[in-house]
Amino acid sequence: MPMTPLDHALFRRMPKIALHDHLLGTIGCATFQALARARGAAITDDEIADLYDPAKKLGAMRVLRVLETQVLREPADFHRITYEYLAGHAAQGVRHAEIFWNPTPSVADAAAYARLLSGITAAMADAQADHAITALVLPSIDREAPPEAALAMVEWMIARPDPRAIGIGIDYNENKGPPELFTAAYALAGRHGLKRTAHAGEFGCPAAHIRTALRDLAVERLDHCYTALEEPDLCREIADRGVVITVVPTNTYYRRTLPPERWAEDHPIRRMPAAGLAIHPNTDDPPIHHIDPEGCWAMMHEAFGFGAADIRQFMLNGIEGAFVDAGTKAAWRKLFTAEFDALLQEIAP
Ligand SMILES: [Zn+2]
């Protein structure tokens, strides 16, 4: 029997957590162009616009590297992009966000790290006051840089601790930087009480990367992890450890490699909950993927066929996976489920 479609208002208004957005990937085109002009960066408005054009993906890496090294130079730049991101997400029911930020390409020492971080954390405080959204930042290892740079990033975090810089992640091209290169950085973070998550099993990368992240990097959360499906034992291990997986419905790898007519049918996200995996949908690089929280959560229903009970569980998975204390999680579970159930009643056909 075909499912009765859920009203889009549910996805917009339901309380949500965002656990997987990259700060640099949240910048809108107009903001990027304005900041690039202000800093005299070696990039044109047209080159920047191409980053947001799905038909022109080729120069994306160069544009992002210019953004990191020439455009975002001042705490005020980071304040602007962080605040714009949080205000936009809050307008769509996001109550808490944990954002990845790669400091390595932008700074060279602990003082410079702390200087730019101050722009991010000040914006988080302002967004909390103005839009009732809480936020944390996860400085993230640029896995295309040498492992020593990852270790240095963790050392900066230890030297200049901030309660909002709660833990670490790792991203960029997984093929160029497998997780085993970064065990020292993750061990140091763990010894200093920093939370740990990692991109693994993205771009069709081996399931072994996920096992390494789980066992050797000792992550408390995982990002992507699609290839875990190839190994049922690994799925069981992830589930037994209670590790939540952030997934990205608009993930470009599957958009590119699966045939368009089979894309939604064959996408691994569709099969992950049945394999025992606690997944949670996210927007990743929202304006670049042409997606927002409402659209992302709607895709779980409309593209992958999950019903209201599944959506409610994904919402709870987000709370479970958040790097906040047990008391906050308990309060959110109560509040979010009450709001979700009332919304479902209100919009039910
Ligand atoms: Zn990501």
Side-chain angles (χ1 to χ4, degrees), residues 210-216 218-219 222 234 237-238 241 243:
I210 303 168
R211 187 173 287 105
T212 303
L214 201 60
R215 294 181 182 174
D216 301 335
V219 294
L222 280 163
L234 178 59
E237 187 175 340
I238 296 168
R241 289 178 187 237
V243 169

Side-chain angles (χ1 to χ4, degrees), residues 158-178:
I158 294 164
R160 304 295 292 262
D162 187 296
R164 289 189 192 270
I166 192 81
I168 64 167
I170 180 168
D171 52 30
Y172 279 117
N173 194 335
E174 191 177 330
N175 290 304
K176 293 184 184 169

Side-chain angles (χ1 to χ4, degrees), residues 66-80:
V66 170
L67 178 62
E68 287 176 318
T69 54
Q70 298 181 33
V71 177
L72 300 171
R73 306 304 306 156
E74 297 298 322
D77 304 336
F78 283 89
H79 186 290
R80 176 171 173 180

Side-chain angles (χ1 to χ4, degrees), residues 61-200:
M61 212 54 215
R62 186 188 95 78
V63 176
L64 286 172
R65 291 303 188 189
V66 170
L67 178 62
E68 287 176 318
T69 54
Q70 298 181 33
V71 177
L72 300 171
R73 306 304 306 156
E74 297 298 322
D77 304 336
F78 283 89
H79 186 290
R80 176 171 173 180
I81 64 174
T82 306
Y83 187 88
E84 287 180 0
Y85 159 74
L86 290 171
H89 265 33
Q92 294 210 335
V94 176
R95 307 289 173 81
H96 174 76
E98 299 182 3
I99 311 169
F100 297 120
W101 167 50
N102 303 92
T104 299
S106 304
V107 300
D109 58 34
Y113 158 79
R115 182 170 171 271
L116 296 186
L117 178 68
S118 72
I120 296 173
T121 55
M124 289 176 165
D126 290 345
Q128 185 168 356
D130 296 346
H131 301 285
I133 182 171
T134 57
L136 299 168
V137 55
L138 303 175
S140 293
I141 293 167
D142 176 351
R143 68 198 318 160
E144 296 178 30
E148 298 74 44
L151 206 50
M153 184 198 83
V154 177
E155 284 164 355
W156 302 337
M157 292 176 70
I158 294 164
R160 304 295 292 262
D162 187 296
R164 289 189 192 270
I166 192 81
I168 64 167
I170 180 168
D171 52 30
Y172 279 117
N173 194 335
E174 191 177 330
N175 290 304
K176 293 184 184 169
E180 56 270 24
L181 297 179
F182 303 97
T183 48
Y186 271 78
L188 181 63
R191 284 199 297 279
H192 287 268
L194 294 168
K195 302 286 189 186
R196 288 150 290 171
T197 185
H199 281 46

Side-chain angles (χ1 to χ4, degrees), residues 20-22 100 170-172 199 202-203 223-224 246 248 251 283-285 289:
H20 186 154
D21 284 306
H22 301 270
F100 297 120
I170 180 168
D171 52 30
Y172 279 117
H199 281 46
E202 192 185 5
F203 314 119
D223 306 303
H224 296 293
T246 68
V248 174
N251 188 269
T283 45
D284 204 19
D285 302 309
H289 289 200

